[in-house]
């Protein structure tokens, strides 16, 4: 049976640089880490990982990139590579840093699309009752939500393998079913009102690029590094309170602050910032594993805005309309031919902006083991998972500390580390000024 690509997979093929670089390269991965409290049964963990691969086809699916016949091919299940490392560390206070260092090491590893299944695991053991589980999955097979689905299913399947009496998981809806639905929903002949919305909304628009330190034409060797930074609890609380007051979300407030920052950095009042939406469509696909994420360009005119509160209100309207008109990015770009020009500019980089909020729950029980996600990360790193082009700017809100964790993943052939430090510091200054005094006269600097 021939399985068509999703629109996102097809879009990734446009940036295909072979199996060594780009979105099909060995660094284009998502890596997640979890602390495991309790004695881990290695054999049961291996079986549960293999059960996950059998359950979710995307983890054993290859993308055939033949220009004449692009398609998905689902292959039979095969064992997951599970590596166990002994990491004795008597100082319990030092274990968090050791766990983060393990994540950094593995994020710099190579896991190509030719190594099936597209899921790999490393178990680092501090002692019999404290370990770190790291899962590495290729980004062509999963997104951030998928990784949460995988760890949830893994916990249940592990508990069952250890003999705990739990209900069976419901049958998994597969990613190929989503691709078929999407192809029908957004077929060229289908009536899709979102096309006219995006055509009008993005008329004459270009994604707002950031000046690079090095031109793309210099041909410098590319890696992706990460600069991490903290935003204080006072600013975080103010941003969340302003979101409440404006009937919006923390994402909308933080995006508004970032747009003000860009206005000061490049002088543009017509600001277009790309973000990633889940792109999952109907509710039946919410627990499906696959690469659903969809690029969404958010355009806001800042001209004449007197206060930051006004920028937040305009940004809120931008977001509500954009998310109310879902459309695969490839079709958005078709309606706005100038939009992606910054990708091709020799002296500009594109910055994608995301905001996450930590889940409220502390962790999950998997039989006799408690699983807690590692989200609080503070160490920068010289090599990480690949950002195909430009910068990925993420802010994670941590309700436990009341702070925000900043993450700037950047291409080193375009940007210097010092520039990214200054970029982060400049954003924090703008954030502090805007969210703390949202009704003061607005100035970009």
């Amino acid at each position: 049976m021939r399985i068509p690509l999703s629109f996102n997979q097809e879009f990734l093929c446009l940036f295909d640089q072979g199996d060594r670089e780009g979105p099909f390269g060995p660094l284009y991965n998502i890596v997640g880490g979890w602390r495991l409290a309790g004695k881990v049964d290695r054999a049961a963990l291996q079986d549960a990982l293999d059960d996950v691969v059998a359950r979710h086809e995307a983890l054993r699916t290859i993308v055939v990139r033949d220009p004449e016949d692009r398609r998905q091919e689902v292959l039979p299940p095969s064992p997951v590579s599970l590596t166990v490392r002994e990491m004795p560390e008597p100082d319990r206070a030092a274990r968090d840093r050791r766990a983060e260092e393990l994540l950094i090491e593995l994020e710099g590893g190579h896991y190509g699309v030719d190594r099936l299944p597209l899921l790999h695991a490393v178990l680092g053991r501090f002692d019999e009752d404290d370990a770190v589980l790291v899962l590495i999955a290729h980004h062509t097979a999963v997104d951030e939500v998928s990784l949460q689905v995988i760890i949830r299913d893994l916990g249940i399947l592990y508990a069952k393998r250890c003999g705990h009496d739990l209900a069976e998981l419901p049958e998994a809806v597969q990613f190929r079913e989503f691709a078929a639905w999407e192809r029908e929903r957004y077929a060229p002949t289908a009536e899709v009102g979102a096309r006219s919305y995006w055509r009008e909304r993005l008329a004459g628009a270009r994604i707002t690029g950031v000046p690079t330190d090095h031109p793309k034409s210099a041909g410098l060797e590319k890696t992706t590094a990460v600069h991490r930074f903290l935003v204080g609890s006072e600013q975080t609380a103010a941003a969340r309170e302003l979101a409440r007051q404006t009937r919006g979300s923390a994402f909308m407030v933080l995006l508004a602050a970032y747009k003000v920052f860009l206005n000061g950095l490049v002088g543009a009042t017509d600001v277009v910032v790309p973000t990633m939406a889940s792109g999952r469509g109907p509710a039946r696909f919410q627990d499906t594993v696959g690469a659903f994420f969809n690029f969404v360009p958010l355009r806001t005119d800042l001209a004449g805005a007197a206060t930051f509160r006004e920028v937040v209100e305009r940004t809120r309207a931008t977001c509500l309309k954009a998310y109310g008109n879902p459309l695969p990015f490839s079709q958005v770009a078709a309606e706005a031919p100038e939009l992606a020009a910054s990708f091709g500019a020799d002296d500009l980089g594109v910055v994608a902006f995301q905001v996450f909020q930590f889940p409220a729950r502390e962790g999950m029980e998997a039989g006799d083991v408690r699983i807690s996600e590692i989200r609080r990360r503070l160490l920068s790193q010289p090599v990480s998972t690949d950002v195909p082009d430009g910068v990925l700017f993420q802010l994670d809100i941590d309700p436990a500390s009341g702070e925000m964790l900043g993450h700037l993943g950047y291409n080193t052939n375009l940007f210097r580390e010092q520039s990214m430090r200054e970029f982060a510091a400049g954003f924090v200054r703008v954030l502090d000024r805007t969210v703390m005094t949202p009704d003061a006269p607005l100035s970009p600097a």
Side-chain angles (χ1 to χ4, degrees):
M1 177 177 63
R2 185 185 184 281
I3 305 173
L5 298 183
S6 70
F7 285 114
N8 184 42
Q9 290 172 319
E10 194 172 73
F11 178 66
L12 291 177
C13 286
L14 298 178
F15 296 90
D16 187 2
Q17 299 175 49
D19 289 352
R20 297 195 177 198
E21 294 185 28
F24 295 95
L27 281 166
Y28 191 59
N29 302 300
I30 290 185
V31 179
W34 293 265
R35 290 292 286 272
L36 307 185
K39 189 172 183 178
V40 177
D41 183 324
R42 176 180 177 174
L45 178 60
Q46 178 71 68
D47 289 341
L49 286 164
D50 296 345
D51 291 341
V52 167
V53 169
R55 174 173 170 77
H56 296 291
E57 289 181 355
L59 299 173
R60 46 191 169 89
T61 295
I62 61 171
V63 175
V64 177
R65 287 121 65 195
D66 180 353
E68 302 300 320
D69 186 24
R70 292 188 178 123
R71 64 191 188 279
Q72 300 182 65
E73 284 188 4
V74 180
L75 301 179
S78 56
V80 173
S81 169
L82 171 60
T83 302
V84 178
R85 292 194 189 182
E86 301 300 333
M87 298 167 46
E89 177 55 74
D91 182 359
R92 300 190 71 87
R95 292 181 180 182
D96 289 347
R97 184 181 179 94
R98 289 285 304 276
E100 188 172 354
E101 289 171 345
L102 177 62
L103 279 165
I104 287 174
E105 176 193 338
L106 295 174
E107 283 172 340
H110 288 210
Y111 308 88
V113 290
D114 58 339
R115 292 179 58 181
L116 293 176
L118 299 173
L119 178 68
H120 311 275
V122 175
L123 181 68
R125 297 198 295 203
F126 296 123
D127 60 31
E128 285 295 308
D129 298 304
D130 188 5
V132 182
L133 176 65
V134 181
L135 298 181
I136 306 109
H138 204 273
H139 212 343
T140 57
V142 304
D143 54 15
E144 294 279 356
V145 175
S146 296
L147 211 57
Q148 299 301 319
V149 173
I150 289 170
I151 195 65
R152 181 205 65 189
D153 289 0
L154 179 63
I156 293 170
L157 294 166
Y158 172 81
K160 289 175 67 66
R161 285 287 187 175
C162 289
H164 293 266
D165 186 16
L166 300 177
E168 295 292 331
L169 285 166
E171 184 177 354
V173 180
Q174 302 299 338
F175 187 68
R176 59 185 166 86
E177 298 174 49
F178 169 80
W181 170 84
E182 187 185 46
R183 285 287 172 182
E184 181 178 357
R185 173 68 181 86
Y186 297 108
T189 56
E191 290 290 331
V192 181
R195 292 191 183 117
S196 60
Y197 165 79
W198 287 109
R199 183 167 57 251
E200 295 168 9
R201 180 64 183 167
L202 297 177
R206 291 188 177 192
I207 291 173
T208 304
V210 172
T212 59
D213 294 314
H214 310 290
K216 295 171 184 173
S217 59
L220 301 180
E221 183 179 357
K222 175 195 165 189
T223 59
T224 297
V226 176
H227 170 63
R228 292 189 171 91
F229 60 97
L230 272 175
V231 178
S233 57
E234 190 176 5
Q235 294 91 339
T236 304
R240 298 175 78 177
E241 172 58 22
L242 186 56
R244 186 193 66 78
Q245 293 176 11
T246 55
R247 296 178 298 113
S249 66
F251 170 77
M252 295 173 184
V253 171
L254 296 168
L255 175 62
Y258 178 58
K259 285 177 181 266
V260 172
F261 168 68
L262 280 181
N263 171 238
L265 183 67
V266 303
T269 55
D270 181 7
V271 182
V272 183
V273 172
T275 190
M276 253 69 84
S278 74
R280 288 180 168 255
R284 69 178 183 272
F285 298 119
Q286 296 310 302
D287 289 333
T288 297
V289 169
F292 287 90
F293 59 93
N294 189 42
F295 220 48
V296 180
L298 299 171
R299 183 184 196 182
T300 308
D301 184 6
L302 306 188
T307 66
F308 181 62
R309 189 182 298 271
E310 186 175 345
V311 176
V312 173
E313 291 168 351
R314 294 186 189 185
T315 303
R316 177 180 181 274
T318 294
C319 293
L320 291 176
K321 290 177 182 177
Y323 292 126
N325 288 277
L327 191 69
F329 180 72
S330 58
Q331 296 195 8
V332 170
E335 301 296 337
E338 299 176 45
L339 181 68
S342 296
F343 282 109
D346 193 40
D347 58 349
L348 294 176
V350 171
V351 181
F353 182 83
Q354 288 183 286
V355 175
F356 298 110
Q357 272 187 269
F358 287 20
R361 56 188 173 88
E362 290 289 326
M364 62 177 283
E365 303 296 333
D368 299 325
V369 175
R370 184 166 182 79
I371 302 175
S372 302
E373 187 172 9
I374 300 170
R375 295 295 294 270
R376 187 174 177 81
R377 300 184 58 186
L378 304 175
L379 301 178
S380 297
Q381 60 196 87
V383 180
S384 183
T385 53
D386 189 34
V387 173
D389 186 63
V391 180
L392 178 60
F393 184 7
Q394 296 177 338
L395 293 168
D396 283 9
I397 300 174
D398 181 1
S401 68
E403 298 171 313
M404 272 188 287
L405 309 178
H407 168 118
L408 279 170
Y410 61 96
N411 293 161
T412 57
N413 62 319
L414 301 180
F415 297 98
R416 293 191 295 263
E417 179 185 4
Q418 183 60 32
S419 297
M420 289 292 96
R421 289 179 179 275
E422 293 170 359
F423 188 96
F427 168 76
V428 172
R429 286 194 298 270
V430 169
L431 180 67
D432 181 71
R433 187 184 73 250
T434 53
V435 300
M436 302 302 288
T437 56
D439 297 305
L442 185 67
S443 62

PDB file of all heavy atoms in Angstrom, residues 52 62 70 76 89 115 117 132 159 188 225 248 264 266 291 294 311 332 336 362 416 418 430 442:
ATOM      1  N   VAL A  52       6.412  -0.068  22.557  1.00  0.00           N
ATOM      2  CA  VAL A  52       6.092   1.276  22.073  1.00  0.00           C
ATOM      3  C   VAL A  52       6.301   1.359  20.566  1.00  0.00           C
ATOM      4  O   VAL A  52       5.487   1.936  19.834  1.00  0.00           O
ATOM      5  CB  VAL A  52       6.942   2.330  22.811  1.00  0.00           C
ATOM      6  CG1 VAL A  52       6.867   3.680  22.098  1.00  0.00           C
ATOM      7  CG2 VAL A  52       6.477   2.488  24.244  1.00  0.00           C
ATOM      8  N   ILE A  62       9.932   5.065   7.280  1.00  0.00           N
ATOM      9  CA  ILE A  62      10.933   5.833   6.543  1.00  0.00           C
ATOM     10  C   ILE A  62      10.215   6.727   5.531  1.00  0.00           C
ATOM     11  O   ILE A  62       9.119   6.407   5.058  1.00  0.00           O
ATOM     12  CB  ILE A  62      11.951   4.924   5.828  1.00  0.00           C
ATOM     13  CG1 ILE A  62      11.257   4.016   4.796  1.00  0.00           C
ATOM     14  CG2 ILE A  62      12.735   4.109   6.826  1.00  0.00           C
ATOM     15  CD1 ILE A  62      12.236   3.259   3.908  1.00  0.00           C
ATOM     16  N   ARG A  70       7.573  10.531  -3.789  1.00  0.00           N
ATOM     17  CA  ARG A  70       7.747  10.691  -2.352  1.00  0.00           C
ATOM     18  C   ARG A  70       6.611   9.998  -1.617  1.00  0.00           C
ATOM     19  O   ARG A  70       5.449  10.154  -1.967  1.00  0.00           O
ATOM     20  CB  ARG A  70       7.778  12.175  -1.988  1.00  0.00           C
ATOM     21  CG  ARG A  70       9.016  12.909  -2.499  1.00  0.00           C
ATOM     22  CD  ARG A  70       9.071  14.313  -1.942  1.00  0.00           C
ATOM     23  NE  ARG A  70      10.267  15.015  -2.373  1.00  0.00           N
ATOM     24  CZ  ARG A  70      10.278  16.177  -3.022  1.00  0.00           C
ATOM     25  NH1 ARG A  70       9.122  16.761  -3.316  1.00  0.00           N
ATOM     26  NH2 ARG A  70      11.414  16.746  -3.366  1.00  0.00           N
ATOM     27  N   PRO A  76       8.389  -3.377   9.594  1.00  0.00           N
ATOM     28  CA  PRO A  76       8.047  -4.187  10.777  1.00  0.00           C
ATOM     29  C   PRO A  76       8.791  -3.697  12.014  1.00  0.00           C
ATOM     30  O   PRO A  76       9.848  -3.069  11.908  1.00  0.00           O
ATOM     31  CB  PRO A  76       8.497  -5.606  10.379  1.00  0.00           C
ATOM     32  CG  PRO A  76       8.578  -5.590   8.897  1.00  0.00           C
ATOM     33  CD  PRO A  76       8.982  -4.200   8.515  1.00  0.00           C
ATOM     34  N   GLU A  89      27.236   8.265  41.707  1.00  0.00           N
ATOM     35  CA  GLU A  89      27.390   9.629  42.204  1.00  0.00           C
ATOM     36  C   GLU A  89      26.819   9.687  43.615  1.00  0.00           C
ATOM     37  O   GLU A  89      25.605   9.808  43.815  1.00  0.00           O
ATOM     38  CB  GLU A  89      26.660  10.622  41.293  1.00  0.00           C
ATOM     39  CG  GLU A  89      26.702  12.068  41.764  1.00  0.00           C
ATOM     40  CD  GLU A  89      28.113  12.558  41.978  1.00  0.00           C
ATOM     41  OE1 GLU A  89      28.813  12.814  40.974  1.00  0.00           O
ATOM     42  OE2 GLU A  89      28.526  12.657  43.153  1.00  0.00           O
ATOM     43  N   ARG A 115      18.741   4.462  10.914  1.00  0.00           N
ATOM     44  CA  ARG A 115      18.871   3.598  12.093  1.00  0.00           C
ATOM     45  C   ARG A 115      17.492   3.348  12.686  1.00  0.00           C
ATOM     46  O   ARG A 115      17.019   4.086  13.543  1.00  0.00           O
ATOM     47  CB  ARG A 115      19.796   4.240  13.126  1.00  0.00           C
ATOM     48  CG  ARG A 115      21.246   4.332  12.685  1.00  0.00           C
ATOM     49  CD  ARG A 115      22.109   5.003  13.737  1.00  0.00           C
ATOM     50  NE  ARG A 115      22.068   4.298  15.027  1.00  0.00           N
ATOM     51  CZ  ARG A 115      22.725   4.716  16.111  1.00  0.00           C
ATOM     52  NH1 ARG A 115      23.457   5.822  16.057  1.00  0.00           N
ATOM     53  NH2 ARG A 115      22.645   4.038  17.242  1.00  0.00           N
ATOM     54  N   PRO A 117      14.623   1.143  14.772  1.00  0.00           N
ATOM     55  CA  PRO A 117      13.566   2.146  14.802  1.00  0.00           C
ATOM     56  C   PRO A 117      14.127   3.525  15.121  1.00  0.00           C
ATOM     57  O   PRO A 117      15.271   3.653  15.585  1.00  0.00           O
ATOM     58  CB  PRO A 117      12.643   1.647  15.909  1.00  0.00           C
ATOM     59  CG  PRO A 117      13.533   0.884  16.830  1.00  0.00           C
ATOM     60  CD  PRO A 117      14.548   0.230  15.940  1.00  0.00           C
ATOM     61  N   VAL A 132      18.463   8.007  35.316  1.00  0.00           N
ATOM     62  CA  VAL A 132      18.027   8.943  34.280  1.00  0.00           C
ATOM     63  C   VAL A 132      17.717   8.137  33.024  1.00  0.00           C
ATOM     64  O   VAL A 132      18.540   7.325  32.591  1.00  0.00           O
ATOM     65  CB  VAL A 132      19.124   9.977  33.941  1.00  0.00           C
ATOM     66  CG1 VAL A 132      18.629  10.962  32.887  1.00  0.00           C
ATOM     67  CG2 VAL A 132      19.578  10.705  35.181  1.00  0.00           C
ATOM     68  N   ALA A 159       4.948  -0.937  33.378  1.00  0.00           N
ATOM     69  CA  ALA A 159       4.263  -1.462  34.559  1.00  0.00           C
ATOM     70  C   ALA A 159       3.612  -2.806  34.254  1.00  0.00           C
ATOM     71  O   ALA A 159       3.658  -3.739  35.070  1.00  0.00           O
ATOM     72  CB  ALA A 159       3.225  -0.455  35.051  1.00  0.00           C
ATOM     73  N   PRO A 188      -6.206  20.353  -3.207  1.00  0.00           N
ATOM     74  CA  PRO A 188      -6.337  21.575  -4.017  1.00  0.00           C
ATOM     75  C   PRO A 188      -7.779  21.888  -4.412  1.00  0.00           C
ATOM     76  O   PRO A 188      -8.128  23.059  -4.576  1.00  0.00           O
ATOM     77  CB  PRO A 188      -5.476  21.269  -5.250  1.00  0.00           C
ATOM     78  CG  PRO A 188      -4.480  20.266  -4.768  1.00  0.00           C
ATOM     79  CD  PRO A 188      -5.207  19.431  -3.761  1.00  0.00           C
ATOM     80  N   ALA A 225      24.366  25.264  18.321  1.00  0.00           N
ATOM     81  CA  ALA A 225      24.709  25.427  19.729  1.00  0.00           C
ATOM     82  C   ALA A 225      23.499  25.954  20.482  1.00  0.00           C
ATOM     83  O   ALA A 225      22.516  26.393  19.871  1.00  0.00           O
ATOM     84  CB  ALA A 225      25.894  26.378  19.877  1.00  0.00           C
ATOM     85  N   GLY A 248      -5.757  36.693  27.574  1.00  0.00           N
ATOM     86  CA  GLY A 248      -4.895  36.022  26.618  1.00  0.00           C
ATOM     87  C   GLY A 248      -4.123  34.898  27.281  1.00  0.00           C
ATOM     88  O   GLY A 248      -4.580  34.281  28.237  1.00  0.00           O
ATOM     89  N   GLY A 264      12.892  47.162  18.012  1.00  0.00           N
ATOM     90  CA  GLY A 264      14.078  47.905  18.393  1.00  0.00           C
ATOM     91  C   GLY A 264      15.342  47.393  17.722  1.00  0.00           C
ATOM     92  O   GLY A 264      16.258  48.161  17.421  1.00  0.00           O
ATOM     93  N   VAL A 266      15.659  45.700  14.619  1.00  0.00           N
ATOM     94  CA  VAL A 266      15.755  45.851  13.165  1.00  0.00           C
ATOM     95  C   VAL A 266      14.959  47.038  12.631  1.00  0.00           C
ATOM     96  O   VAL A 266      15.017  47.325  11.431  1.00  0.00           O
ATOM     97  CB  VAL A 266      15.319  44.555  12.440  1.00  0.00           C
ATOM     98  CG1 VAL A 266      16.160  43.382  12.908  1.00  0.00           C
ATOM     99  CG2 VAL A 266      13.829  44.258  12.655  1.00  0.00           C
ATOM    100  N   ALA A 291       5.240  13.497  13.253  1.00  0.00           N
ATOM    101  CA  ALA A 291       5.792  14.850  13.102  1.00  0.00           C
ATOM    102  C   ALA A 291       4.680  15.777  12.635  1.00  0.00           C
ATOM    103  O   ALA A 291       4.547  16.078  11.449  1.00  0.00           O
ATOM    104  CB  ALA A 291       6.953  14.838  12.112  1.00  0.00           C
ATOM    105  N   ASN A 294       3.477  22.414  12.845  1.00  0.00           N
ATOM    106  CA  ASN A 294       3.207  23.243  11.672  1.00  0.00           C
ATOM    107  C   ASN A 294       3.734  24.651  11.913  1.00  0.00           C
ATOM    108  O   ASN A 294       3.500  25.251  12.953  1.00  0.00           O
ATOM    109  CB  ASN A 294       1.705  23.290  11.385  1.00  0.00           C
ATOM    110  CG  ASN A 294       1.401  23.962  10.052  1.00  0.00           C
ATOM    111  OD1 ASN A 294       2.088  23.734   9.065  1.00  0.00           O
ATOM    112  ND2 ASN A 294       0.373  24.791  10.029  1.00  0.00           N
ATOM    113  N   VAL A 311       0.064  46.635  22.339  1.00  0.00           N
ATOM    114  CA  VAL A 311       0.763  45.625  21.531  1.00  0.00           C
ATOM    115  C   VAL A 311       0.256  44.230  21.886  1.00  0.00           C
ATOM    116  O   VAL A 311       0.054  43.381  21.010  1.00  0.00           O
ATOM    117  CB  VAL A 311       2.287  45.718  21.740  1.00  0.00           C
ATOM    118  CG1 VAL A 311       3.003  44.603  20.968  1.00  0.00           C
ATOM    119  CG2 VAL A 311       2.816  47.066  21.295  1.00  0.00           C
ATOM    120  N   VAL A 332       0.224  27.887   3.105  1.00  0.00           N
ATOM    121  CA  VAL A 332       0.313  29.296   3.506  1.00  0.00           C
ATOM    122  C   VAL A 332       1.334  30.003   2.621  1.00  0.00           C
ATOM    123  O   VAL A 332       1.086  31.098   2.094  1.00  0.00           O
ATOM    124  CB  VAL A 332       0.710  29.421   4.994  1.00  0.00           C
ATOM    125  CG1 VAL A 332       1.032  30.872   5.348  1.00  0.00           C
ATOM    126  CG2 VAL A 332      -0.405  28.892   5.896  1.00  0.00           C
ATOM    127  N   ALA A 336       1.350  33.340  -0.107  1.00  0.00           N
ATOM    128  CA  ALA A 336       2.147  34.537   0.193  1.00  0.00           C
ATOM    129  C   ALA A 336       3.555  34.335  -0.335  1.00  0.00           C
ATOM    130  O   ALA A 336       4.475  33.981   0.411  1.00  0.00           O
ATOM    131  CB  ALA A 336       2.164  34.789   1.697  1.00  0.00           C
ATOM    132  N   GLU A 362       3.589  16.438  39.002  1.00  0.00           N
ATOM    133  CA  GLU A 362       4.994  16.244  39.345  1.00  0.00           C
ATOM    134  C   GLU A 362       5.622  15.105  38.558  1.00  0.00           C
ATOM    135  O   GLU A 362       6.794  15.116  38.243  1.00  0.00           O
ATOM    136  CB  GLU A 362       5.116  15.957  40.843  1.00  0.00           C
ATOM    137  CG  GLU A 362       4.810  17.159  41.710  1.00  0.00           C
ATOM    138  CD  GLU A 362       5.875  18.222  41.629  1.00  0.00           C
ATOM    139  OE1 GLU A 362       7.053  17.862  41.488  1.00  0.00           O
ATOM    140  OE2 GLU A 362       5.538  19.411  41.693  1.00  0.00           O
ATOM    141  N   ARG A 416      27.489  34.191  16.268  1.00  0.00           N
ATOM    142  CA  ARG A 416      28.483  33.966  17.305  1.00  0.00           C
ATOM    143  C   ARG A 416      27.797  33.817  18.659  1.00  0.00           C
ATOM    144  O   ARG A 416      26.704  34.347  18.883  1.00  0.00           O
ATOM    145  CB  ARG A 416      29.486  35.121  17.360  1.00  0.00           C
ATOM    146  CG  ARG A 416      30.386  35.240  16.145  1.00  0.00           C
ATOM    147  CD  ARG A 416      31.516  36.230  16.407  1.00  0.00           C
ATOM    148  NE  ARG A 416      31.001  37.577  16.589  1.00  0.00           N
ATOM    149  CZ  ARG A 416      30.949  38.497  15.630  1.00  0.00           C
ATOM    150  NH1 ARG A 416      31.367  38.199  14.416  1.00  0.00           N
ATOM    151  NH2 ARG A 416      30.479  39.701  15.875  1.00  0.00           N
ATOM    152  N   GLN A 418      28.571  35.203  21.484  1.00  0.00           N
ATOM    153  CA  GLN A 418      28.411  36.494  22.135  1.00  0.00           C
ATOM    154  C   GLN A 418      27.163  37.217  21.627  1.00  0.00           C
ATOM    155  O   GLN A 418      26.452  37.876  22.396  1.00  0.00           O
ATOM    156  CB  GLN A 418      29.651  37.362  21.927  1.00  0.00           C
ATOM    157  CG  GLN A 418      29.594  38.712  22.631  1.00  0.00           C
ATOM    158  CD  GLN A 418      29.444  38.589  24.143  1.00  0.00           C
ATOM    159  OE1 GLN A 418      29.937  37.634  24.749  1.00  0.00           O
ATOM    160  NE2 GLN A 418      28.734  39.530  24.755  1.00  0.00           N
ATOM    161  N   VAL A 430      13.903  44.274  27.480  1.00  0.00           N
ATOM    162  CA  VAL A 430      12.614  44.715  26.924  1.00  0.00           C
ATOM    163  C   VAL A 430      11.461  44.085  27.692  1.00  0.00           C
ATOM    164  O   VAL A 430      10.461  44.751  28.013  1.00  0.00           O
ATOM    165  CB  VAL A 430      12.531  44.378  25.420  1.00  0.00           C
ATOM    166  CG1 VAL A 430      11.111  44.586  24.895  1.00  0.00           C
ATOM    167  CG2 VAL A 430      13.513  45.229  24.629  1.00  0.00           C
ATOM    168  N   LEU A 442       5.270  53.588  25.166  1.00  0.00           N
ATOM    169  CA  LEU A 442       6.092  52.512  24.602  1.00  0.00           C
ATOM    170  C   LEU A 442       7.272  53.087  23.839  1.00  0.00           C
ATOM    171  O   LEU A 442       7.144  54.017  23.052  1.00  0.00           O
ATOM    172  CB  LEU A 442       5.247  51.644  23.665  1.00  0.00           C
ATOM    173  CG  LEU A 442       5.914  50.416  23.079  1.00  0.00           C
ATOM    174  CD1 LEU A 442       6.224  49.395  24.175  1.00  0.00           C
ATOM    175  CD2 LEU A 442       5.005  49.781  22.026  1.00  0.00           C
TER     176      LEU A 442
END
